[in-house]
Amino acid sequence: MDGWMDRWIWRDRYGWMDGWKDGYGEIGMDGWIWRDRDGWIWRDRYGWMDGWKDGYGEIGMDGWIWRDRDGWIWMDGWMDMERYGWMDGYGEMGMDGWMDGYGEIGMDGYGLMDGYVEIGMYRDGWIITGALWMCIVLNPHCKTEQKAAWLRQLKKWNSVDVCPLEDGNHGNELPNLTNALPQGAHGNQDSGTRPHRTVFTRAIEACDLHWQDSHLQHIINDDLYTNYCYHDNTENSLFDSRGWPLWHEHVPTACARVDALRSHGYPREALRLAIAIVNTLRRQQQKQLELFRNHKKDLLHKGVTSITNLEGWVGHPLDPIGTLFSTLMETGRGDEDSSQGGFLDFSASTMSSSKHSELHLFPSTRRFLEEGESYLALAVETALMGLGQQRIMPDGLYAQEKVCRNEEHLIAKLQEVDLDDTLVKIFRKQAVFLLEGGPYSGLGELIYRESVPMHTFAKYLFTCLLPHDAELAYKIALRAMRLPVLESTAPSGDMSRPHHIVSVVPNRYPRWFTLSHIESQQCELASTMLTAAKGDARRLETVLESIQKNIHSSSHIFKLAQDAFKIATLMDSLPDITLLKVSLELGLQVMRMTLSTLNWRRREMVRWLVTCATEVGVYALDSIMQSWFTLFTPTEATSIVATTVMSNSTIVRLHLDCHQQENLASSARTLALQCAMKDPQNCALSALTLCEKDHIAFETAYQIVLDAATTGMSYTQLFTIARYMEHRGYPMRAYKLATLAMAHLNLSYNQDTHPAINDVLWACALSHSLGKNELAAIIPLVVKSVKCATVLSDILRRCTLTTPGMVALHSRRNSGKLMSLDKAPLRQLLDATIGAYINTTHSRLTHISPRHYSEFIEFLSKARETFLMAHDGHIQFTQFIDNLKQIYKGKKKLMMLVRERFG
């Protein structure tokens, strides 16, 4: 096949495909594959696309053809699948449809997998394939030679390097759990020694299973199979205390038997085995509860727990709980549809009659149900037991996602059932078991650090139990709020297991790929409790404590705070002050959690908290301002908190009188001054703004600025505050701050576009407007800080245009004469400007290139204008030009341009 690909590309290269490419313009072969169905028809003519077109046309033919040559080579063998007997041997069981399904689902992933690339969306199809083969090899009436042929074929597929792994994780090594049976089966050694478990491993292991166990045969064939004289009360006893049969086997394997019986046309036998399995689970649950109660004190004292199941039943590849649930529910619906109630008869005599006659009743099958119990109730109880099982979080993204999906799917099925009094009793019973079940329950007092969380399941239990038993509902939900995997001090537990569970995996700490989903479910559970507890102060306080203890995501706590705020301030009722306080407490916790960490929603959180505190009341606003340093940064406290508190909208919202307004404003000003002292660079201007109406506070803020000006503030900040002071009508204070800013500034000769230039020009203009003395004081600072000739010349010209002090404060007037350039302070500025031009000229000439010659000539022209402002400027400029000609005579072309312009 690879050779064919090369020939096909060769034809394209040499014009065989020119007409196709021309017809589709610039799209190319890649675009053509996706957009033009005629292309597929053309390939169909050559016999390659039969059966591929429909399956792959819409999905991945592009990736298949262009990206994976090895897939083609391997798929060549797959094309001859009829030789392996998949279709011929099992066409009657729907294998044709299964192959068509793999055209769309599985084989693309199988053929496309590059060695060990995750096949993603196709993995569900492969898991279904493995379960289907499990059903095939567990056919109770298959022949030995058939099973041997299946085993050879399964091993062959299993040995292919690209055979998908069961859990999608390449590092997991589970023992042979399928063969952990009381029958004494030894298991398949070849698969047991493989480093990884593929989707076919369980089917290979199941080839060693048999149906010859006499106890198993009696269970599936006899409605009256009981032993009331059986008194063996051991863990693996064959009957319970009522004489009902039990079936002890690895639960997923036992349920796979049920699935196989149903799939091969034995629904009555499947139901009998399902009932025996559920009764066994219920007996085990009771035994586990008694065992834990006997050792509860020691376990709680040690503070550790054990893992009772490495393979959880929910999310398992064989879906044991789903199998039991669907088996019992189908029979339960048959009961509801039948006027007499009973069981469906699939015996040989009725199988030949019409479908209507199949609804024949067998009251004896109900022998193994409790009095008044229905199959529907048994199905619900089974689902509750499975969902509440404590189980370790599996490795791998796929396996963890499957746990979440299966849990949600099973809960969705439960939600379709209408609760009656009988089911409510079952819910109560299972809720008590879960709370008191110890290490066997995901809701026990102690759980292993990496157990699958119970948030989604507990939310469902909470909503079901709340109308009937609120106390129990809250106990369940509050217990489920735990997420020990995020607790740094959580007990690690141990990996010891009961003796009837086989083997154990070494210590491992898997990455929780679904952690964000789990945390969101935890948040949903908390939100559900907050909504239900509205108006109940005691419940709200308990829920608040649980949230603060167990939720570690600031984003989720913030969401809960917002949810509580919305619920508390619904438009159709008065605000619930208790729930508002809970919302505020959650907001305060968010502030503390995010104070020293980066969070892009931080400003939104701060604004929301102020809004929430405003709704709670003036005392809440005063409280957050008093303790601002534990909640906000100085910048947030001044620019958001204090500013919002002193706004008119807040005052109107709170309906404050004058005295209350003044007290609140006083707290805000105190906060602003504290922030200014702690962070003058970022808070001084806000503090000045907030303290404008209080003279003492304003003077205090101004003094804080002066104290920080020499060390802690930059020239940009000082210039900003100086401009603010001028705007507020304090020109002398503005001048003072401008001189302090100039001391921090340093403009070099080539920084003629520096952003501080406008501030320097403004400071000089301010000084000039105040008078000669102020101008004389600032010019030395300008000369020291500014080395850029063009900036100095600009300042010089502005100072010579008007008389200093013409717009000075208090209508002060000078003599009205322009300042002389021959006297201080302008003489110093003029000399500095000329010196700057000379230094800049030499600096430019050091690395000048011909393309900058014209620009340099223009620069000299501006320099001449400045030179001429001096009394002897003409002579100085002539000497300057002569020096240039002498020093840089090697730059002949440039000097020629200088002579042409300046002589």
Side-chain angles (χ1 to χ4, degrees):
M1 292 300 295
D2 193 45
W4 179 81
M5 269 299 295
D6 290 338
R7 289 197 301 274
W8 179 68
I9 296 172
W10 172 86
R11 288 173 187 166
D12 184 16
R13 189 182 305 131
Y14 285 91
W16 201 73
M17 297 294 292
D18 283 347
W20 294 77
K21 292 179 72 174
D22 294 342
Y24 291 95
E26 298 290 332
I27 296 174
M29 286 303 297
D30 185 39
W32 166 67
I33 286 175
W34 286 92
R35 295 183 174 90
D36 189 79
R37 302 299 302 198
D38 292 338
W40 293 107
I41 296 171
W42 168 75
R43 293 200 182 148
D44 204 13
R45 292 209 312 260
Y46 290 88
W48 287 100
M49 298 304 297
D50 287 341
W52 297 357
K53 181 168 63 176
D54 295 339
Y56 286 98
E58 308 247 347
I59 302 174
M61 205 59 200
D62 176 40
W64 195 6
I65 291 176
W66 291 98
R67 294 177 191 150
D68 191 47
R69 297 288 183 82
D70 294 335
W72 280 96
I73 295 169
W74 185 85
M75 288 299 288
D76 188 30
W78 173 71
M79 287 300 297
D80 294 325
M81 198 179 298
E82 290 184 15
R83 291 191 306 223
Y84 302 141
W86 284 28
M87 294 178 61
D88 294 340
Y90 301 102
E92 297 177 357
M93 296 182 60
M95 290 301 291
D96 287 337
W98 177 51
M99 273 194 57
D100 292 341
Y102 275 92
E104 292 188 351
I105 301 173
M107 290 310 294
D108 183 26
Y110 203 177
L112 274 177
M113 213 168 47
D114 272 335
Y116 296 105
V117 176
E118 175 69 52
I119 58 178
M121 63 180 288
Y122 307 114
R123 180 163 294 282
D124 281 343
W126 283 112
I127 296 300
I128 295 171
T129 305
L132 177 60
W133 272 103
M134 192 86 172
C135 288
I136 292 171
V137 301
L138 283 177
N139 184 345
H141 296 297
C142 69
K143 298 177 181 178
T144 305
E145 55 270 21
Q146 283 181 312
K147 186 176 287 191
W150 300 337
L151 181 59
R152 287 193 300 272
Q153 184 57 61
L154 288 169
K155 286 184 176 180
K156 185 173 182 179
W157 293 330
N158 196 57
S159 64
V160 177
D161 290 338
V162 294
C163 187
L165 302 183
E166 184 178 70
D167 63 352
N169 181 56
H170 305 292
N172 192 16
E173 299 182 15
L174 281 174
N176 183 333
L177 292 176
T178 306
N179 285 334
L181 308 176
Q183 301 179 32
H186 296 291
N188 186 285
Q189 297 302 316
D190 291 341
S191 63
T193 57
R194 281 184 57 81
H196 306 302
R197 296 177 63 83
T198 73
V199 293
F200 298 118
T201 301
R202 293 183 186 274
I204 293 172
E205 294 169 353
C207 288
D208 291 322
L209 302 180
H210 58 80
W211 297 83
Q212 278 71 48
D213 185 275
S214 60
H215 183 60
L216 176 61
Q217 286 293 319
H218 281 299
I219 288 175
I220 64 178
N221 290 316
D222 191 353
D223 285 332
L224 305 177
Y225 181 51
T226 57
N227 191 335
Y228 298 109
C229 300
Y230 191 85
H231 299 297
D232 181 9
N233 197 32
T234 61
E235 187 174 359
N236 292 320
S237 59
L238 301 181
F239 298 88
D240 61 15
S241 58
R242 299 165 297 187
W244 296 357
L246 305 174
W247 179 242
H248 297 278
E249 188 176 24
H250 177 241
V251 173
T253 306
C255 295
R257 291 182 184 272
V258 175
D259 198 20
L261 288 169
R262 293 173 65 206
S263 300
H264 288 278
Y266 303 102
R268 180 171 61 181
E269 289 77 2
L271 179 62
R272 288 171 181 151
L273 182 56
I275 293 173
I277 293 170
V278 175
N279 283 332
T280 305
L281 293 179
R282 293 201 290 193
R283 181 176 181 271
Q284 287 177 350
Q285 188 183 52
Q286 184 63 44
K287 291 286 185 183
Q288 290 165 354
L289 179 61
E290 294 171 2
L291 179 65
F292 175 66
R293 283 174 175 170
N294 292 335
H295 299 87
K296 180 176 180 179
K297 190 173 294 185
D298 293 337
L299 286 173
L300 293 180
H301 178 71
K302 292 178 182 178
V304 295
T305 186
S306 59
I307 285 298
T308 60
N309 262 295
L310 289 174
E311 282 195 308
W313 300 332
V314 175
H316 193 279
L318 298 179
D319 192 19
I321 298 300
T323 298
L324 294 176
F325 183 79
S326 58
T327 301
L328 295 167
M329 284 295 291
E330 287 175 7
T331 309
R333 290 193 180 101
D335 286 346
E336 293 172 2
D337 295 338
S338 174
S339 59
Q340 300 179 23
F343 176 62
L344 307 183
D345 179 14
F346 288 88
S347 62
S349 61
T350 57
M351 286 290 286
S352 60
S353 60
S354 66
K355 290 185 177 180
H356 181 73
S357 64
E358 291 180 357
L359 294 177
H360 187 70
L361 306 179
F362 284 82
S364 59
T365 312
R366 289 185 172 275
R367 179 183 298 275
F368 304 125
L369 298 182
E370 298 281 359
E371 184 179 352
E373 188 175 38
S374 65
Y375 293 116
L376 184 146
L378 195 62
V380 170
E381 185 169 8
T382 304
L384 296 180
M385 285 191 289
L387 288 167
Q389 175 203 33
Q390 183 178 178
R391 53 200 182 272
I392 195 169
M393 178 66 78
D395 279 339
L397 171 62
Y398 173 77
Q400 293 177 14
E401 287 182 340
K402 186 174 176 61
V403 168
C404 297
R405 288 200 311 269
N406 281 27
E407 180 183 38
E408 291 168 0
H409 177 73
L410 194 53
I411 290 174
K413 291 291 185 182
L414 285 171
Q415 288 172 335
E416 296 175 1
V417 179
D418 295 328
L419 295 187
D420 56 18
D421 292 340
T422 302
L423 291 180
V424 170
K425 290 179 182 178
I426 292 174
F427 270 80
R428 282 177 168 155
K429 168 189 167 185
Q430 284 300 320
V432 172
F433 271 129
L434 290 171
L435 290 172
E436 299 180 2
Y440 307 96
S441 166
L443 292 169
E445 290 185 62
L446 289 174
I447 57 172
Y448 183 65
R449 185 172 182 266
E450 291 163 19
S451 294
V452 175
M454 296 282 113
H455 307 128
T456 307
F457 178 44
K459 179 185 173 185
Y460 168 70
L461 285 180
F462 178 80
T463 54
C464 291
L465 287 171
L466 187 64
H468 309 284
D469 192 336
E471 191 68 29
L472 184 59
Y474 276 99
K475 282 183 180 180
I476 287 284
L478 291 169
R479 179 73 63 82
M481 280 292 291
R482 301 170 298 187
L483 191 53
V485 75
L486 296 181
E487 298 284 352
S488 58
T489 58
S492 60
D494 58 55
M495 296 293 291
S496 61
R497 303 167 65 202
H499 62 272
H500 66 274
I501 299 294
V502 176
S503 186
V504 77
V505 176
N507 270 340
R508 62 204 178 106
Y509 297 94
R511 292 178 59 192
W512 283 36
F513 298 97
T514 56
L515 186 59
S516 60
H517 172 75
I518 290 169
E519 287 189 288
S520 67
Q521 291 299 306
Q522 183 189 37
C523 180
E524 287 294 323
L525 174 60
S527 180
T528 302
M529 285 195 288
L530 283 175
T531 304
K534 181 180 180 181
D536 189 329
R538 183 179 64 86
R539 298 258 192 234
L540 285 173
E541 183 179 356
T542 307
V543 175
L544 173 62
E545 291 175 359
S546 178
I547 292 170
Q548 292 174 326
K549 177 182 177 182
N550 295 300
I551 297 185
H552 304 276
S553 166
S554 58
S555 298
H556 286 122
I557 296 179
F558 182 51
K559 180 183 182 301
L560 288 171
Q562 290 179 306
D563 290 347
F565 182 79
K566 291 176 183 175
I567 298 168
T569 56
L570 292 175
M571 297 299 293
D572 58 349
S573 61
L574 293 174
D576 187 321
I577 191 62
T578 307
L579 193 52
L580 273 177
K581 290 179 180 179
V582 169
S583 177
L584 179 63
E585 283 298 322
L586 293 174
L588 294 175
Q589 183 173 352
V590 172
M591 292 297 101
R592 289 188 284 267
M593 293 174 68
T594 58
L595 179 59
S596 57
T597 59
L598 295 176
N599 191 305
W600 65 275
R601 300 184 66 188
R602 174 73 185 181
R603 289 184 66 84
E604 176 193 353
M605 292 172 175
V606 174
R607 293 182 187 279
W608 178 88
L609 182 72
V610 177
T611 302
C612 182
T614 303
E615 288 294 325
V616 174
V618 65
Y619 68 92
L621 286 175
D622 190 64
S623 176
I624 64 173
M625 287 192 291
Q626 295 292 335
S627 58
W628 70 268
F629 47 87
T630 64
L631 305 172
F632 315 108
T633 64
T635 305
E636 292 168 345
T638 53
S639 63
I640 301 177
V641 179
T643 303
T644 306
V645 167
M646 295 186 68
S647 65
N648 290 331
S649 59
T650 302
I651 294 172
V652 172
R653 177 64 181 166
L654 292 172
H655 307 291
L656 302 180
D657 56 31
C658 294
H659 180 68
Q660 290 175 320
Q661 290 181 33
E662 182 54 36
N663 288 340
L664 196 61
S666 177
S667 296
R669 287 192 290 267
T670 302
L671 178 151
L673 293 175
Q674 291 174 349
C675 293
M677 293 182 68
K678 189 171 184 178
D679 186 8
Q681 297 93 334
N682 298 310
C683 301
L685 182 58
S686 296
L688 287 167
T689 305
L690 291 167
C691 296
E692 285 175 355
K693 296 182 178 180
D694 187 289
H695 177 71
I696 296 176
F698 188 81
E699 290 297 324
T700 305
Y702 175 64
Q703 190 59 46
I704 291 172
V705 174
L706 293 180
D707 293 342
T710 55
T711 54
M713 301 187 73
S714 67
Y715 63 85
T716 304
Q717 294 163 338
L718 289 170
F719 273 130
T720 302
I721 297 174
R723 286 176 179 265
Y724 163 79
M725 284 295 186
E726 185 196 30
H727 177 71
R728 298 303 304 173
Y730 300 103
M732 290 305 297
R733 293 184 178 184
Y735 167 77
K736 174 66 175 178
L737 293 171
T739 58
L740 293 172
M742 290 296 300
H744 295 283
L745 182 64
N746 184 23
L747 282 179
S748 63
Y749 75 93
N750 59 348
Q751 292 182 299
D752 52 358
T753 58
H754 195 281
I757 291 174
N758 285 332
D759 290 323
V760 174
L761 295 176
W762 168 82
C764 292
L766 175 66
S767 304
H768 188 271
S769 67
L770 291 175
K772 182 178 180 180
N773 294 335
E774 287 77 8
L775 183 61
I778 203 170
I779 282 178
L781 296 175
V782 172
V783 170
K784 182 180 179 181
S785 301
V786 180
K787 306 301 179 184
C788 182
T790 54
V791 176
L792 290 172
S793 63
D794 194 3
I795 295 171
L796 183 62
R797 286 184 178 81
R798 293 178 185 227
C799 290
T800 58
L801 292 178
T802 58
T803 303
M806 290 300 291
V807 291
L809 197 63
H810 307 305
S811 300
R812 185 178 63 187
R813 293 290 182 270
N814 285 11
S815 59
K817 297 181 180 180
L818 295 176
M819 296 180 67
S820 171
L821 291 172
D822 294 330
K823 298 179 181 179
L826 293 189
R827 180 65 193 185
Q828 182 184 3
L829 181 59
L830 177 60
D831 291 343
T833 306
I834 292 173
Y837 269 115
I838 294 172
N839 293 333
T840 304
T841 299
H842 288 295
S843 297
R844 286 194 172 193
L845 286 172
T846 304
H847 303 289
I848 196 168
S849 63
R851 70 172 182 266
H852 294 133
Y853 284 176
S854 59
E855 179 184 339
F856 178 73
I857 295 300
E858 293 301 320
F859 175 76
L860 287 180
S861 298
K862 293 181 180 179
R864 181 172 60 179
E865 294 175 2
T866 302
F867 272 82
L868 294 179
M869 295 176 73
H871 179 70
D872 55 348
H874 180 72
I875 298 173
Q876 290 186 47
F877 186 73
T878 301
Q879 292 174 347
F880 174 55
I881 294 298
D882 291 342
N883 288 337
L884 291 181
K885 293 175 184 177
Q886 184 65 31
I887 297 172
Y888 302 100
K889 59 185 177 182
K891 300 181 183 294
K892 295 180 180 180
K893 184 176 181 180
L894 178 59
M895 291 303 107
M896 182 182 69
L897 294 173
V898 171
R899 290 190 190 95
E900 288 179 356
R901 177 67 70 90
F902 306 109

